[in-house]
Amino acid sequence: DTAVSQTPKYLVTQMGNDKSIKCEQNLGHDTMYWYKQDSKKFLKIMFSYNNKELIINETVPNRFSPKSPDKAHLNLHINSLELGDSAVYFCASSQDRGSYNEQFFGPGTRLTVL
Amino acid sequence: AQSVTQLDSQVPVFEEAPVELRCNYSSSVSVYLFWYVQYPNQGLQLLLKYLSGSTLVKGINGFEAEFNKSQTSFHLRKPSVHISDTAEYFCAVGAGGASYGKLTFGQGTILTVHP
């Protein structure tokens, strides 16, 4: 069984479009995250939710909006896509919000903006 | 705020040779330290972590790391590597207190094991 799953795995779209990436975890974890991995493989946190409450909101353009309908799901909606949004986006989850926890990562969504 | 520096962007090594991947961190508070591995086209998975206690931490696949507080380092080692260890390795630091689950990652080290 997949612990953290993301859809789609690949997303190719034009500049200016709006797209969503979905994430689900079946581990019973309370906390979920979105990370962006750029072309140089640098991994940076974007958002984190704990039991549907936003707890980490890094300096991210407000074109990016996370939504957590329940603690097992965390979706990422991106408006007015730009070339610089091209990256691999990873969802992750952990048992709770503590920094000592292992984070479990999904397989990633490779977003290409043309 | 915390930061992580991985001192080598690429490490080539022959099969069955030992390897060390270097990681230095900085933080103004107590830290938790992690090594994650990323195989091609996959997500990250945890190799090992240091929370407290013994400074030598053993992880999966024969890897170990040593926490050195005075040198603010957390280097990853394996005495004998396999071809299957070829991957990218990320060091990460999490801070206590109000930083919650925020992990700061290093730039990654690509380990390539040659036959």
Side-chain angles (χ1 to χ4, degrees):
Chain A
D1 281 345
T2 304
V4 181
S5 59
Q6 296 178 228
T7 53
K9 190 167 174 63
Y10 299 96
L11 187 51
V12 181
T13 188
Q14 300 285 335
M15 268 196 328
N17 284 349
D18 303 338
K19 290 293 178 186
S20 291
I21 307 172
K22 296 188 174 183
C23 178
E24 176 180 2
Q25 55 95 1
N26 62 7
L27 297 166
H29 288 167
D30 285 346
T31 310
M32 296 184 73
Y33 312 83
W34 277 113
Y35 287 88
K36 179 180 181 180
Q37 187 176 47
D38 63 23
S39 57
K40 294 183 179 177
K41 295 295 192 76
F42 184 60
L43 197 67
K44 188 167 166 48
I45 191 164
M46 302 171 70
F47 303 103
S48 176
Y49 272 74
N50 185 69
N51 270 324
K52 302 194 295 175
E53 176 192 357
L54 182 66
I55 58 170
I56 296 175
N57 186 357
E58 292 294 284
T59 308
V60 175
N62 58 15
R63 299 181 295 103
F64 290 78
S65 53
K67 282 191 172 53
S68 183
D70 55 60
K71 74 174 193 178
H73 295 85
L74 179 61
N75 303 323
L76 183 66
H77 188 75
I78 316 170
N79 288 324
S80 303
L81 278 155
E82 301 178 356
L83 293 176
D85 298 332
S86 294
V88 181
Y89 293 84
F90 287 101
C91 177
S93 72
S94 64
Q95 186 168 353
D96 57 49
R97 64 199 306 180
S99 300
Y100 43 78
N101 283 310
E102 175 181 359
Q103 293 187 15
F104 291 79
F105 285 77
T109 295
R110 183 175 294 276
L111 172 65
T112 303
V113 182
L114 303 175
Chain B
Q2 56 262 28
S3 66
V4 179
T5 302
Q6 291 182 240
L7 298 160
D8 306 292
S9 58
Q10 297 192 51
V11 173
V13 65
F14 286 107
E15 196 173 17
E16 297 183 9
V19 71
E20 178 180 80
L21 307 184
R22 298 180 293 166
C23 173
N24 285 98
Y25 70 92
S26 68
S27 176
S28 56
V29 298
S30 60
V31 295
Y32 309 110
L33 293 158
F34 305 82
W35 275 100
Y36 283 84
V37 59
Q38 184 178 26
Y39 297 103
N41 299 315
Q42 294 186 27
L44 283 71
Q45 64 184 81
L46 183 71
L47 273 179
L48 48 79
K49 64 181 178 181
Y50 171 80
L51 302 184
S52 65
S54 173
T55 57
L56 184 63
V57 179
K58 293 191 185 297
I60 62 171
N61 300 340
F63 283 93
E64 63 182 32
E66 185 152 20
F67 170 59
N68 188 319
K69 188 174 181 180
S70 62
Q71 296 187 4
T72 60
S73 68
F74 190 55
H75 300 334
L76 181 71
R77 300 185 184 102
K78 186 169 181 177
S80 175
V81 294
H82 300 133
I83 298 283
S84 59
D85 293 323
T86 294
E88 187 151 15
Y89 292 79
F90 292 90
C91 181
V93 61
S99 295
Y100 300 128
K102 181 178 175 180
L103 288 185
T104 300
F105 284 84
Q107 307 93 312
T109 298
I110 298 172
L111 173 65
T112 305
V113 181
H114 298 285

